[in-house]
């Protein structure tokens, strides 16, 4: 096969995989939006009610998407009770936002997987989809959630939004670094005979070490939680975690199904 034909084949395969990744991402985003609506919207309403009473510090740091800062700006102001966008409008736009986010995530996920394999799909390569989705969830959702957890309205100050957003970006980069560390150590360890449990655990230990070091170095958010109900804060964070878990789980499962069908046709 000529070099030109090979490039055309790879280009066609990339386009096909990206389209499947986009569709899987949109489906995953819609599912995540449903989880966010069921588990988180009532909590946001409660937090806004607390904010309106002035019992806690004003904040715009709400959100059930990946970024914990200013991702669900409710345009609420203690001096202006009328929001620029109504709560009904925000609920209506929730599915659009999560679907767009899911679609973009699916495209990046598909391109990353193509870069890793770049071969005709086989049964063994199809099995790599779910582990890759799990790694993506750990890197860009789980690690940032642990290091810079999301906050509902009425927590913190509006002036800290940019600061928290920067911390979240750092946490995402740290999670990606940990995932890459796991991959590199696993590849190198795969070329050797690993006989002990410690040797087999080296990739996970290396990734955990990166996270721990980053956790020790990353500065605190300095958020004041005084006067805010602890159970409401915890439930909001659980809803945020459930939304992200749904996004990555559905993305991995649906994309796995698409790729499996592609492999069966060859």
């Amino acid at each position: 096969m000529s070099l030109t034909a090979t490039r055309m084949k790879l280009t066609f395969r990339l386009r096909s995989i990206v389209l499947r990744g986009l569709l899987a991402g949109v489906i995953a985003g819609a599912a995540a939006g449903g989880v966010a609506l069921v588990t988180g919207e009532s909590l946001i309403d409660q937090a806004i009610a607390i904010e309106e009473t002035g019992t806690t510090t004003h904040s715009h740091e709400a959100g059930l998407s990946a970024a914990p800062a200013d991702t669900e700006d409710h345009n609420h102001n203690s001096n202006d009770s009328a929001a620029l966008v109504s709560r009904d409008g925000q609920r209506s736009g929730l599915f659009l936002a999560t679907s767009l986010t899911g679609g973009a995530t699916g495209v990046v996920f598909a391109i990353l997987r193509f870069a890793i394999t770049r071969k005709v799909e086989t049964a063994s390569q199809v099995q790599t989809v779910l582990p890759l989705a799990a790694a993506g969830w750990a890197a860009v959702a789980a690690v940032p959630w642990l290091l810079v957890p999301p906050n509902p309205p009425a927590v913190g100050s509006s002036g800290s939004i940019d600061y928290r957003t920067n911390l979240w970006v750092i946490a995402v980069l740290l999670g990606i670094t940990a995932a890459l560390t796991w991959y590199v150590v696993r590849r190198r360890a795969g070329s050797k005979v690993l006989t002990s449990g410690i040797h087999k655990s080296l990739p996970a230990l290396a990734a955990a070490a990166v996270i721990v070091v980053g956790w020790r170095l990353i500065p605190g958010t300095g958020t004041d939680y005084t006067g805010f109900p602890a159970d409401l804060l915890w439930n909001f964070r659980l809803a945020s975690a459930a939304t992200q878990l749904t996004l990555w789980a559905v993305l991995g499962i649906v994309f796995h199904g698409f790729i499996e069908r592609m492999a069966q046709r060859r």
Side-chain angles (χ1 to χ4, degrees):
M1 183 181 295
S2 67
L3 181 60
T4 301
T6 301
R7 288 178 177 174
M8 290 180 62
K9 184 176 180 180
L10 287 175
T11 301
F12 176 78
R13 180 172 173 268
L14 174 61
R15 184 184 302 114
S16 178
I17 288 179
V18 167
L19 289 176
R20 284 167 170 80
L22 174 62
L23 179 57
V26 170
I27 294 173
V35 172
L37 180 65
V38 172
T39 65
E41 284 299 304
S42 62
L43 301 176
I44 292 176
D45 288 337
Q46 294 177 42
I48 291 176
I50 293 174
E51 187 179 33
E52 289 175 343
T53 63
T55 57
T56 58
T57 306
H58 174 69
S59 173
H60 292 290
E61 297 171 321
L64 293 178
S65 60
D70 202 31
T71 54
E72 289 233 7
D73 187 357
H74 300 284
N75 299 303
H76 180 77
N77 192 301
S78 58
N79 298 322
D80 183 4
S81 59
L84 295 179
V85 180
S86 68
R87 289 293 293 135
D88 290 337
Q90 293 167 16
R91 292 189 185 95
S92 301
L94 176 62
F95 284 95
L96 176 61
T98 56
S99 296
L100 291 176
T101 300
T105 303
V107 169
V108 174
F109 181 79
I111 294 175
L112 177 61
R113 188 182 178 280
F114 175 81
I116 293 175
T117 58
R118 297 197 63 153
K119 295 179 181 179
V120 176
E121 298 296 342
T122 63
S124 61
Q125 290 176 345
V126 170
Q127 301 306 317
T128 64
V129 174
L130 294 180
L132 184 60
W137 166 79
V140 304
V143 171
W145 187 91
L146 290 171
L147 299 183
V148 189
N151 288 330
V155 174
S157 62
S158 58
S160 67
I161 292 176
D162 292 339
Y163 177 69
R164 282 182 53 82
T165 300
N166 292 336
L167 288 182
W168 176 80
V169 172
I170 294 174
V172 170
L173 294 176
L174 179 65
I176 294 174
T177 301
L180 291 176
T181 300
W182 177 89
Y183 178 76
V184 171
V185 174
R186 185 174 181 273
R187 284 288 300 271
R188 293 187 176 182
S191 61
K192 303 177 182 179
V193 178
L194 303 180
T195 56
S196 69
I198 295 179
H199 287 159
K200 293 179 180 179
S201 302
L202 280 178
L205 291 174
V210 171
I211 295 173
V212 170
V213 171
W215 170 66
R216 297 294 296 177
L217 294 178
I218 192 171
T221 61
T223 303
D224 182 11
Y225 300 101
T226 303
F228 194 86
D231 57 341
L232 178 57
L233 177 64
W234 178 243
N235 289 335
F236 178 86
R237 289 176 175 176
L238 287 180
S240 174
T243 300
Q244 286 299 306
L245 182 60
T246 300
L247 174 66
W248 284 96
V250 175
L251 173 61
I253 292 171
V254 174
F255 190 72
H256 178 276
F258 288 161
I259 297 299
E260 190 173 40
R261 293 185 62 181
M262 286 181 61
Q264 291 174 351
R265 293 176 182 175
R266 298 181 182 276

